[in-house]
Amino acid sequence: MLPHKFIEQRLQQAVTAVLPDADVTAVLVRPCPDPKFGDYQTNALMSLAKARKLNPRQLASDVVAKLDVADACAPVEIAGAGFLNFRLKPAALAQTLQGAARGEHLFSEPAAHPRTVVVDFSSPNVAKSMHVGHIRSTILGDCLARTLRLLGHRVITDNHLGDWGTQFGMLLVAWKRELDAAALKADPITEMERLYKKVSAECKANPATLEAARQELVRLQAGDEENLRIWHEMIALSRVQFDTIYQRLGVKFDHTLGESFYHPRLQPLVQELCTKGIARESEGALAVFFEAIPPLKEHPALIQKSDGAFNYTTTDLATLMHRLETWRPDEIVYVTDARQQLHFQQLFAVFRRWHPEAKTKLAHVWFGSILGEDGKPFKTRSGDTVKLSDLLDEAEERAYKVVSEKNPEQPEPVGREIARIVGIAAVKYADLLPNRQSDYVFSWDKLLALNGNTAPYLQYAYARIRSIFRKANVGQDVSPVPTCELSDALKLDAREELALARHLLNFGLVLEAVADDYRPNYLCNYLYELAGHFTSFYENCPVLKSAPELRTSRLVLCDLTARVMKQGLDVLGIETLEQM
RNA sequence: GCGCCCGUAGCUCAGUUGGAUAGAGCAUCUGCCUUCUAAGCAGAGGGUCCUGGGUUCGAGUCCCAGCGGGCGCGCCA
């Protein structure tokens, strides 16, 4: 068991011994903010004492009297207003590191109670190009899925494609009237976007075109053969584009069930909501009202439009039901931008009223916008949305410039491959580093900066470690992370060694925090600190030139750092490089 | 009008159940490459955490009011 878990368990037992009816789930152990206090601390006793009007220092000393952590810690210290400070015994620290070096763990433990979690993210629209608006959902969602998987949960990723709706009526009109077959063949998305742009302008100007679009949509929904064929073709062409992007990003989905998949379920669903008295007629449409929920009182959810068509609340309800029936998840996570908060509040509220018995946790994980350097929504110079493929191309191109400047003698193909990995990593990292709820300003210079909290910096730290192993002649180059020989005792004496070692132990804690709060930026910051601790160690503690025993000990530390860095970056969806 | 979010160093941003002396990068300044990749390290300066109240042992974090900004608010998704 990892030390902090051990301490936490013993601490909770001690608290229970002193206060048998206390809820100990919030009695947690955290790393100390300053190493001078120790390795771990708890401040839970102070809030516990406050809630019960006890003297916090007295409670702390009562708990300490019942607390036995001597296996792992030096005597526990009561500090300040009632903190408990824990200091790991050197043997406990070394033992944990050695367990990791033997491959028994990598500073995290599988969840005690694995859950089934559906993660819904990305969701691009058919016949349109993926653009910057999809990048955060895609990258965040993928990262959360990876984190949950690493922690031992059963994760199902589902890409809810926008493949149904009014836009297809318009597209069908334009497709039939003025499709440029050659252009379609050359660049399908651009042609479909051209068609859509043209016809949607026409619809605004000319009611007859709008009516024609409506009729095409009705025919499509009624199963008209030609319309279905065209629609299928649009989906197939779009998915080629999506798959290309996902491949570049290293993102995979277990399922891609578009909106159209749920179409047959919508009518019965609406029927049921009406029969159960949950939905009712309002201004010609069918709506669910939330009189009992103050924030939603003024915001009923429409589930059928006055023209009889369904909207996205209806589809999302059907999707939700399908997921419950198919996968029986404990939790469903929706990764979308902030503007959809009201929608998800409504969706969840309808569902709770419909199925009050359901225990499934529903989480809307929302994020802010990507802004240009002018502080306005990120656009190209000409004012168009930035295509994701262009963005990734530019990232790789800019990364190549940096790479070849740093390493001019590198053969071009090698440089290109490094640039690909660095460029994609930089874009992803820039997206994961800010608190997801804040808007962030997209800046190439910051993204690809070689110093500061960026992907290249982390990758560089990793590459430096790997370089040590090449020079050390331990392990083979084919194995990205060789296991090095272990001595029985790690020698952790230098300040830099201890700081690095202690930081390694916190990896699992951070992963859990990421999963609990859906915030990958915690992991970004952890890895940045890890890289910082490592480079300090690297500057001050020679590895290869040290005496044999110390050399081995330091190689172990290097190896563990590399493994955590690689695993951490992998969770962020970022590849590592053996050489930069 | 109502709701959600934001306001932290010159700039861009972190800030884990409220917790110990508010952090990082950039920019400015000072050192460090015959030594495992200097894409680096060590150090310095720089703060009314928007304002004003409140809660309490303790508030950047919670509550109330105000100011400034972004977004959303029935038939788009």
Side-chain angles (χ1 to χ4, degrees):
Chain A
M1 186 182 289
L2 293 171
H4 79 269
K5 292 277 186 196
F6 168 78
I7 296 168
E8 204 162 86
Q9 196 182 67
R10 290 292 172 87
L11 177 66
Q12 292 181 351
Q13 286 166 2
V15 169
T16 302
V18 175
L19 303 168
D21 59 330
D23 172 18
V24 294
T25 54
V27 177
L28 301 173
V29 165
R30 301 212 171 286
C32 285
D34 186 326
K36 79 180 178 199
F37 297 126
D39 296 318
Y40 299 98
Q41 65 164 242
T42 184
N43 53 42
L45 300 184
M46 290 182 282
S47 35
L48 212 55
K50 179 179 236 172
R52 291 161 180 258
K53 298 193 190 328
L54 300 170
N55 178 319
R57 291 214 39 130
Q58 183 60 49
L59 176 64
S61 92
D62 292 348
V63 168
V64 168
K66 299 278 185 189
L67 181 59
D68 177 15
V69 289
D71 287 349
C73 302
V76 179
E77 178 197 331
I78 301 170
F83 296 93
L84 294 190
N85 289 333
F86 302 88
R87 199 175 296 273
L88 288 182
K89 288 179 173 170
L93 180 62
Q95 204 184 331
T96 307
L97 294 169
Q98 280 166 351
R102 286 191 297 268
E104 292 163 13
H105 62 80
L106 195 58
F107 308 106
S108 73
E109 289 170 2
H113 306 286
R115 292 175 298 152
T116 297
V117 185
V118 174
V119 187
D120 175 323
F121 64 97
S122 198
S123 310
N125 295 314
V126 164
K128 292 184 186 167
S129 55
M130 282 184 85
H131 54 83
V132 283
H134 300 109
I135 198 172
R136 283 198 103 172
S137 175
T138 306
I139 289 170
L140 258 171
D142 180 57
C143 174
L144 294 175
R146 287 166 182 262
T147 307
L148 290 162
R149 277 205 180 106
L150 182 61
L151 291 172
H153 300 290
R154 177 185 176 226
V155 175
I156 296 155
T157 52
D158 185 9
N159 192 2
H160 191 66
L161 288 189
D163 66 355
W164 200 247
T166 47
Q167 73 271 29
F168 288 99
M170 291 193 267
L171 274 164
L172 282 162
V173 169
W175 185 285
K176 289 178 181 180
R177 283 186 192 170
E178 53 189 305
L179 179 71
D180 179 339
L184 188 75
K185 197 167 179 192
D187 185 349
I189 303 302
T190 303
E191 174 60 6
M192 288 192 281
E193 286 190 319
R194 184 188 69 87
L195 292 178
Y196 182 77
K197 232 180 216 170
K198 184 141 195 220
V199 72
S200 73
E202 251 180 71
C203 282
K204 274 185 196 135
N206 184 354
T209 308
L210 190 62
E211 180 52 29
R214 210 167 273 153
Q215 284 175 16
E216 292 291 6
L217 185 66
V218 170
R219 274 201 280 277
L220 173 67
Q221 300 194 342
D224 175 86
E225 219 167 279
E226 190 192 4
N227 280 10
L228 273 175
R229 184 188 58 73
I230 296 171
W231 175 67
H232 281 303
E233 192 175 346
M234 291 193 275
I235 293 174
L237 291 169
S238 300
R239 288 194 60 165
V240 170
Q241 177 225 183
F242 300 152
D243 289 346
T244 306
I245 301 245
Y246 291 139
Q247 199 190 344
R248 290 181 79 179
L249 291 173
V251 173
K252 286 181 186 150
F253 292 93
D254 300 312
H255 301 278
T256 298
L257 296 174
E259 293 169 345
S260 62
F261 176 80
Y262 303 97
H263 183 241
R265 307 172 62 114
L266 303 182
Q267 184 63 63
L269 184 152
V270 168
Q271 187 60 49
E272 187 180 340
L273 288 174
C274 290
T275 309
K276 293 202 162 151
I278 295 169
R280 62 175 170 81
E281 190 277 336
S282 168
E283 298 172 34
L286 288 171
V288 179
F289 286 85
F290 309 101
E291 280 87 357
I293 306 173
L296 293 179
K297 208 174 167 190
E298 308 287 320
H299 303 287
L302 293 194
I303 58 166
Q304 185 167 20
K305 304 195 281 187
S306 51
D307 67 358
F310 305 109
N311 59 14
Y312 72 142
T313 302
T314 333
T315 311
D316 278 358
L317 280 168
T319 306
L320 177 44
M321 292 313 296
H322 175 262
R323 288 170 177 167
L324 290 184
E325 289 158 11
T326 310
W327 298 311
R328 310 228 162 256
D330 301 292
E331 181 174 349
I332 304 178
V333 178
Y334 297 86
V335 187
T336 85
D337 69 89
R339 290 173 299 203
Q340 298 192 39
Q341 287 176 89
L342 180 57
H343 166 66
F344 281 100
Q345 280 177 32
Q346 293 175 330
L347 179 71
F348 297 167
V350 174
F351 172 71
R352 293 293 174 209
R353 196 187 309 172
W354 188 12
H355 291 282
E357 76 293 347
K359 296 277 185 290
T360 307
K361 178 182 176 189
L362 300 174
H364 180 214
V365 174
W366 56 267
F367 52 84
S369 314
I370 303 181
L371 308 176
E373 305 212 38
D374 57 357
K376 291 182 196 150
F378 189 39
K379 294 273 169 67
T380 61
R381 282 232 175 102
S382 52
D384 297 324
T385 54
V386 179
K387 288 182 187 176
L388 211 36
S389 54
D390 293 345
L391 186 86
L392 299 181
D393 289 346
E394 187 167 355
E396 292 182 14
E397 196 53 45
R398 284 176 181 259
Y400 183 71
K401 282 204 185 89
V402 174
V403 165
S404 47
E405 201 170 294
K406 279 285 166 195
N407 223 337
E409 73 281 5
Q410 195 100 270
E412 172 154 354
V414 177
R416 287 282 169 196
E417 175 62 4
I418 293 171
R420 181 188 69 79
I421 291 175
V422 170
I424 301 291
V427 169
K428 286 190 169 196
Y429 196 79
D431 215 47
L432 293 168
L433 177 63
N435 179 328
R436 63 175 162 79
Q437 292 180 325
S438 46
D439 297 344
Y440 79 90
V441 176
F442 191 93
S443 153
W444 284 116
D445 291 341
K446 224 161 264 181
L447 213 76
L448 285 166
L450 306 169
N451 42 18
N453 196 349
T454 63
Y457 175 81
L458 301 182
Q459 291 171 315
Y460 178 63
Y462 178 83
R464 281 172 123 184
I465 303 175
R466 301 296 306 134
S467 171
I468 292 175
F469 282 91
R470 275 193 302 277
K471 290 254 159 66
N473 239 356
V474 291
Q476 301 297 311
D477 274 346
V478 288
S479 158
V481 180
T483 312
C484 41
E485 262 178 54
L486 289 180
S487 58
D488 282 335
L490 287 174
K491 295 168 70 73
L492 303 172
D493 297 319
R495 188 169 50 88
E496 291 85 1
E497 291 175 301
L498 283 165
L500 179 57
R502 275 195 280 254
H503 196 69
L504 287 170
L505 262 60
N506 294 335
F507 184 44
L509 266 160
V510 171
L511 290 173
E512 286 167 21
V514 170
D516 288 347
D517 295 347
Y518 313 108
R519 290 190 191 280
N521 62 309
Y522 293 164
L523 180 56
C524 295
N525 287 319
Y526 170 83
L527 293 176
Y528 179 59
E529 285 161 12
L530 179 64
H533 285 300
F534 175 76
T535 44
S536 297
F537 160 83
Y538 182 92
E539 296 287 332
N540 293 290
C541 305
V543 177
L544 299 176
K545 291 187 192 77
S546 298
E549 210 179 322
L550 189 56
R551 183 179 188 268
T552 306
S553 175
R554 287 182 173 170
L555 278 171
V556 171
L557 216 42
C558 287
D559 181 39
L560 293 175
T561 304
R563 286 200 226 175
V564 169
M565 186 61 79
K566 189 179 180 69
Q567 178 74 269
L569 287 172
D570 183 69
V571 161
L572 296 176
I574 290 174
E575 293 178 69
T576 43
L577 290 151
E578 293 300 301
Q579 266 176 285
M580 285 177 81

